[in-house]
Amino acid sequence: MLAPTASTVMSSGARPPIGSPIAMSAARCYTVMPGPKPLPLLGNSWRFALGWKPWRTTALDITLWTLRALAGKDGAAKVAKLFGHPDLVFPFCAEETAKIYRREDAMPHRAVAPCLKHYKQELRKDFFGSEPGLIGVHGEPWSRFRSKVSKALAAPEGARAAVPALDIVADDFVNRMENILDDNRELPKDFLTELYKWALESVGVWALGTRLRCLSDNDAEAKEIIRCIHGFFHSVPELELSAPIWRIYSTRAYETYIEALDAFRSLCLKRLTDKGICAAIAKTSGKQVATILALDLLLVGVDTTAAAAASTMYMLAKNKRAQQKLQEELDNYLPMDRTLTSKDLDKLPYLRACIKESLRIKPVILGNGRCIQSDAVISGYEVPKGSHVVFPHYILSNEERYFPSPKEYVPERWLRDEIKKEKLRCPVSDSERQETTECATGVDENKALMVWRKQKEVGIHPFASLPFGFGRRMCIGKRFAEAELQLLLAKTFHRYEVKWRHGELTYSVTPTYVPNEPLQFTLTFRQQKS
C-alpha cells in the first residue's frame, strides 16, 4: 500500500497532524502570514509604546478584531518582533485551537511573564529559591510545584468543603451592598472596588482559612491590601505587554508592581493559619510552598472573579427576561433558613448557564496561550519553535459560526434540556418603561427560543469558549471561583431586582477585561415566592 502524499491528504479534506512531515511540506511559509509589518530595529513594539489605534494594551479586544480581519475565516495572523517577547501567533479557529491543545505534552509551556519571573527568580530569589509557584513559570519547575498542590486544589471535594465558609462571606457582602446604597438605591461609583474586596475576602477564607476583614470600613490593613491590588493590576499591562523599559531603570509602574508583590507576600506569611487549603498543603509540602501558592492565588483569584461577577450582574440587569427566570429558579430551590452547601448549588443549572453566557460575551481573559516546543503547522502556515500561540477565545466566543446571535444574552444556549416557549414578560407600566430599557435591548422569549434552537443545531464547540483555559494549565482554582460566583449572584438576585439605568458599558484590559464606567446598579427589594 502506498503512503499518502501531501496532495492526497489535503484533497481528502482532512488535515494532517500539525507537526507531521506531510503537514510541513504542504504549509505556507511563516513570513507570508498576515500581520502588522515590523520596522527595522524597532520591530512592532513601537506600536504598543505609542498606543495608536488599534495597538493599545488597554484595548486588546480591538487589536484582536483587527488581527481577525487580517487572518480571515479559519486563518491566522501574527505580531512579530516584540522586544523581550517571542512572536505572537493568533489562530482564529476553534478546531485549530483544539489541535494545539491536544498535542501538548505533560509539561505545557506558557509564555513567561518577564517581570514576574524577574521578581521570583532574581529579586526575591532568597525567598522563592527552587519553588517558583504556578504563575509565570513552566517546564519541570512548574510541574514539580504543581504536583505538590494539585491534589488539594483540583479535587472537587476541596471546593465543596469551602462552600459554607464562602456562603458566609457572600451573606456579609450582600448586607454590605444594602448599607452602601445611596438615597436612590444606587450602588456607589467605586462598586468594582467593593467586588475586589469580596473576591479577596473569599480567597482568604478558602485559601488561608481566615477572614481578612476586607468588608470592614475602618480596617487599615484591608485598605492597604486593596490599594496594592489596584497598583499591581494596573501595572501589569505596561510592564508585561509594552517594551520592557523597567529592565533599564526602575519605572513608576515597576516600583508599584514590586511594592504590591512584597505586600501580598507579607500578607500570606502573616495570615497562614491551620485552616484552609494552604494549611493542608503546608502539612505535606512545607510552609514555604503553602505561602507561595497563597501568593499566586491572590494574584489570579481576585480581579478575575470580581470582573466575572461585575459582567454577570450587568448582563442580567440589562436582560429582564433572563433575570426573572433566574429568580424563579432561586425562589424554588435556594434555601434561606441555613448556610448553603454544594448540594444546594447543584440544583441551580440556570444560574450556572447565566455565568457561562456572561463569560462567553465578556470573558475575563481575552485569550490563553502556549509557547510551542517544536516547529508546527498552524492554520496552514509553518510556525517556528518558540513562538507564542495565543488562542483568542474572546473572538471565537463572539462569532456567529460558533454562537448564533452572539451579541444576544441567552443563557438557555448552555442548557441541554428542552425549553418551553413562555409568555414574554416585560415591564408594562409607564414608570417602568421610563426607567428600564429591557424591552428595547433585552432578549424576549421568542428570540431566546430561536437562538436556543439554532445553537442546538450547530452545537457548542468545546474549544470556542474557554474562560478557564484547558488541560494541565487550566485555572487550578476554577471550582472555587465558580462556587464564589454562584453564591454571590444567587444571594444578590434572590434578594433584589437589579436594574441598569445608564448607557452601554465599555471595557478595557487591565490585564483582565473590566468595565470602564462606574457600576451603579440599582437594587430594589423583591417579593420572593413563599
Side-chain angles (χ1 to χ4, degrees), residues 315-316 319 321-322 325 350 353-358 360-361 403-415 419 442-455 460:
M315 296 291 177
L316 284 166
N319 288 271
R321 182 201 65 84
K325 190 161 185 177
Y350 197 77
C354 289
I355 297 171
K356 284 184 177 181
E357 184 71 343
S358 298
R360 177 190 69 80
I361 298 174
F403 294 95
S405 302
K407 294 182 180 180
E408 307 288 4
Y409 184 77
V410 183
E412 284 80 358
R413 70 172 86 233
W414 298 96
L415 300 178
I419 63 173
V443 179
D444 65 34
E445 206 70 36
N446 296 318
K447 177 72 173 179
L449 187 63
M450 182 189 72
V451 172
W452 177 81
R453 284 173 175 165
K454 287 185 177 179
Q455 191 70 66
I460 294 182

Side-chain angles (χ1 to χ4, degrees), residues 42-59:
L42 297 178
N44 269 311
S45 293
W46 67 274
R47 299 180 187 273
F48 294 98
L50 294 179
W52 293 345
K53 289 185 178 180
W55 314 107
R56 291 179 178 173
T57 56
T58 57

Side-chain angles (χ1 to χ4, degrees), residues 89-91 96-97 100-101 366-370 389-394:
V89 175
F90 301 81
E96 205 71 19
T97 298
I100 300 167
Y101 268 130
L366 299 188
N368 209 332
R370 292 290 186 269
V389 181
V390 181
F391 310 117
H393 306 311
Y394 165 70

Side-chain angles (χ1 to χ4, degrees), residues 133-154:
L134 294 172
I135 307 173
V137 293
H138 55 236
E140 180 59 35
W142 167 83
S143 182
R144 186 174 60 251
F145 189 91
R146 187 183 187 279
S147 67
K148 297 176 181 179
V149 304
S150 60
K151 184 177 180 180
L153 280 174

